């Protein structure tokens, strides 16, 4: 009988039933050093414009800081392992590169929905209080996932799983239950420094430490203003995020695309989008094209800014005609990026006299 099995076993079986590829359990106090590391990272200014990281640092520093009643954390991972090499478009200047996690549906929606389903089942089965979290809450998912045995934080600071590589969306359930914890996963990076060497902008001042201010994912997603000139050439044709440090990790050879949820499979229009088409998007068109996509969250102006920089790096003079109208864009950030791109392509900024 299923009810005869330990609750921890039944939780993990239910998680698999709901589409999670990994599930582990940790005590609420299982990552005691995470808060101190966070405070030092913030003190060094490595969070850049992510003011929300500092604003709720005490809540983020430990599960009890967010919810004093928590006793155990159920850590969960949902696979989005890609079927193709994320680096395959690196030399295709006329198309944009979108981070693997953003090529399909918005992970917040699916992961949160399945977390709620698991939480609802557990609350009924075990008569407990609980809270579910995915990404947007002040929760340090990666240290907790390591403590719960899902994997370890690699030298690129992201979670690495022996079974799923670097391609897991993480969520957490905080509960008042005293559950039997799993064994924390030891680090298994060894002497490998592939992720450190792969970073185009040298965003890792040391192994296991990231300076977000230099990270292309931060610059193209979180940073709202003009992207610093020193990083623009290195951005290449990346228009939303960057997978380089993840893609080169040797542990990814164990990650199977068959484990990825269907909702995360790439949308055809995001596999290799033409920069010329994306430069023409106004706000309404942007919202329509990216409905149901995490890309929609950054807004049209930030996205077209990224596309303009990619166009400037393309070496493709046919994009000049698409860039010129953006010089007078209502967004100053877009206009500045378009001007930079035109200069890179060796074009006069003014429209030719007919």
């Amino acid at each position: 009988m299923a009810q005869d099995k330990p609750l921890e076993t039944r939780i993990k079986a239910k998680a698999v039933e709901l589409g999670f590829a990994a599930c582990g359990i940790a005590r609420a106090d299982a990552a005691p050093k995470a808060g101190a590391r966070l405070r030092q990272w913030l003190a060094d200014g490595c969070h850049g414009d992510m003011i929300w990281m500092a604003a709720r640092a005490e809540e983020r520093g430990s599960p009890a800081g967010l919810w004093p009643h928590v006793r155990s954390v159920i850590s969960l991972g949902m696979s989005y392992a890609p079927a193709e090499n994320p680096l395959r478009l690196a030399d295709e200047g006329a198309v944009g590169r979108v981070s693997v996690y953003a090529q399909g549906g918005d992970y917040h929606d699916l992961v949160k929905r399945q977390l709620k389903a698991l939480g609802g089942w557990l609350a009924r089965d075990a008569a407990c209080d609980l809270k579910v979290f995915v990404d947007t809450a002040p929760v340090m998912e990666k240290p907790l996932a390591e403590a719960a045995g899902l994997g370890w934080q690699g030298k690129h600071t992201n979670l690495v799983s022996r079974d799923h590589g670097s391609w897991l969306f993480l969520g957490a359930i905080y509960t008042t239950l005293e559950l039997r914890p799993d064994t924390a996963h030891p680090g298994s990076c060894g002497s490998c420094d592939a992720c450190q060497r792969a970073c185009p902008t040298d965003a890792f001042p040391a192994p296991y430490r990231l300076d977000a201010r230099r990270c292309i994912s931060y610059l193209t997603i979180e940073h709202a203003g003009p992207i610093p000139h020193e990083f623009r050439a290195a951005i290449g044709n990346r228009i939303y995020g960057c997978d380089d440090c993840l893609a080169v990790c040797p542990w990814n050879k164990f990650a199977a695309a068959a484990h990825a949820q269907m909702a995360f499979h790439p949308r055809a229009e995001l596999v290799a989008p033409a920069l010329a088409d994306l430069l023409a998007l106004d706000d309404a068109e942007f919202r329509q094209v990216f409905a149901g996509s995490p890309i929609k969250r950054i807004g049209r102006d930030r996205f077209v800014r990224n596309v303009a920089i990619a166009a400037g790096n393309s070496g493709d003079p046919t994009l000049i005609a698409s860039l010129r109208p953006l010089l007078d864009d209502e967004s100053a950030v877009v206009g500045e990026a378009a001007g930079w791109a035109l200069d890179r392509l060796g074009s006069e900024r003014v429209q030719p006299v007919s």
Side-chain angles (χ1 to χ4, degrees):
M1 296 288 292
Q3 289 297 120
D4 294 335
K5 295 180 179 179
L7 179 56
E8 294 84 358
T9 301
R10 287 186 281 127
I11 289 171
K12 293 174 183 179
K14 189 66 175 179
V16 171
E17 179 185 320
L18 291 169
F20 290 101
C23 177
I25 298 168
R27 289 173 49 90
D29 59 359
K33 297 180 181 179
R37 288 197 296 263
L38 172 64
R39 289 189 291 273
Q40 185 61 58
W41 187 74
L42 292 169
D44 292 341
C46 293
H47 59 304
D49 294 339
M50 294 184 289
I51 306 303
W52 43 270
M53 291 288 291
R56 303 185 69 179
E58 289 306 312
E59 292 177 312
R60 190 180 301 274
S62 71
L66 179 60
W67 189 36
H69 302 295
V70 61
R71 294 294 176 266
S72 301
V73 175
I74 304 168
S75 185
L76 298 120
M78 194 171 281
S79 175
Y80 66 101
E84 298 188 84
N85 181 0
L87 305 179
R88 70 191 185 285
L89 299 177
D91 298 321
E92 301 291 333
V95 302
R97 293 165 63 188
V98 174
S99 186
V100 171
Y101 86 86
Q103 291 180 22
D106 193 334
Y107 68 95
H108 297 88
D109 299 334
L110 179 59
V111 176
K112 188 67 169 286
R113 183 166 64 248
Q114 300 307 81
L115 283 174
K116 286 183 175 179
L118 179 58
W121 169 85
L122 181 59
R124 292 189 299 272
D125 190 86
C128 64
D129 291 332
L130 55 82
K131 296 181 183 294
V132 304
F133 304 104
V134 54
D135 191 32
T136 54
V139 173
M140 298 186 73
E141 294 96 341
K142 290 179 285 187
L144 291 171
E146 181 176 285
L150 268 62
W152 68 96
Q153 280 191 265
K155 292 179 181 178
H156 50 30
T157 75
N158 287 285
L159 194 78
V160 183
S161 162
R162 285 181 178 272
D163 298 319
H164 306 289
S166 305
W167 315 111
L168 284 177
F169 291 127
L170 299 176
I173 297 178
Y174 287 9
T175 176
T176 54
L177 292 170
E178 295 277 3
L179 297 171
R180 185 179 70 254
D182 291 295
T183 303
H185 202 301
S188 298
C189 289
S191 61
C192 178
D193 65 350
C195 60
Q196 313 286 283
R197 290 183 284 108
C199 181
T201 52
D202 295 323
F204 299 107
Y208 308 104
R209 184 170 172 81
L210 170 70
D211 187 341
R213 296 167 296 185
R214 302 184 64 89
C215 174
I216 291 176
S217 286
Y218 165 81
L219 292 168
T220 57
I221 299 173
E222 303 293 347
H223 181 63
I227 292 176
H229 283 242
E230 64 180 301
F231 303 124
R232 294 188 180 188
I235 285 174
N237 62 342
R238 301 171 187 83
I239 57 175
Y240 188 92
C242 178
D243 292 316
D244 290 32
C245 66
L246 303 180
V248 300
C249 179
W251 287 101
N252 285 329
K253 64 177 178 285
F254 299 109
H259 293 155
Q261 288 289 318
M262 181 70 70
F264 304 142
H265 289 188
R267 292 162 52 167
E269 66 272 24
L270 294 181
V271 173
L275 297 180
D277 294 338
L278 299 177
L279 288 169
L281 293 175
D282 61 22
D283 188 66
E285 291 166 336
F286 171 82
R287 291 175 178 274
Q288 181 179 13
V289 170
F290 295 107
S293 165
I295 296 175
K296 185 180 177 182
R297 294 171 180 268
I298 70 170
R300 176 264 178 187
D301 295 347
R302 204 178 302 184
F303 182 71
V304 175
R305 172 205 64 185
N306 298 342
V307 179
I309 289 173
N313 290 328
S314 69
D316 184 355
T318 66
L319 293 173
I320 290 173
S322 300
L323 286 163
R324 279 182 174 156
L326 296 177
L327 290 172
D328 298 320
D329 196 85
E330 291 183 1
S331 167
V333 171
V334 170
E336 188 277 334
W340 177 87
L342 287 168
D343 287 345
R344 288 270 292 180
L345 295 174
S347 169
E348 296 292 335
R349 295 194 185 195
V350 297
Q351 293 280 4
V353 178
S354 57

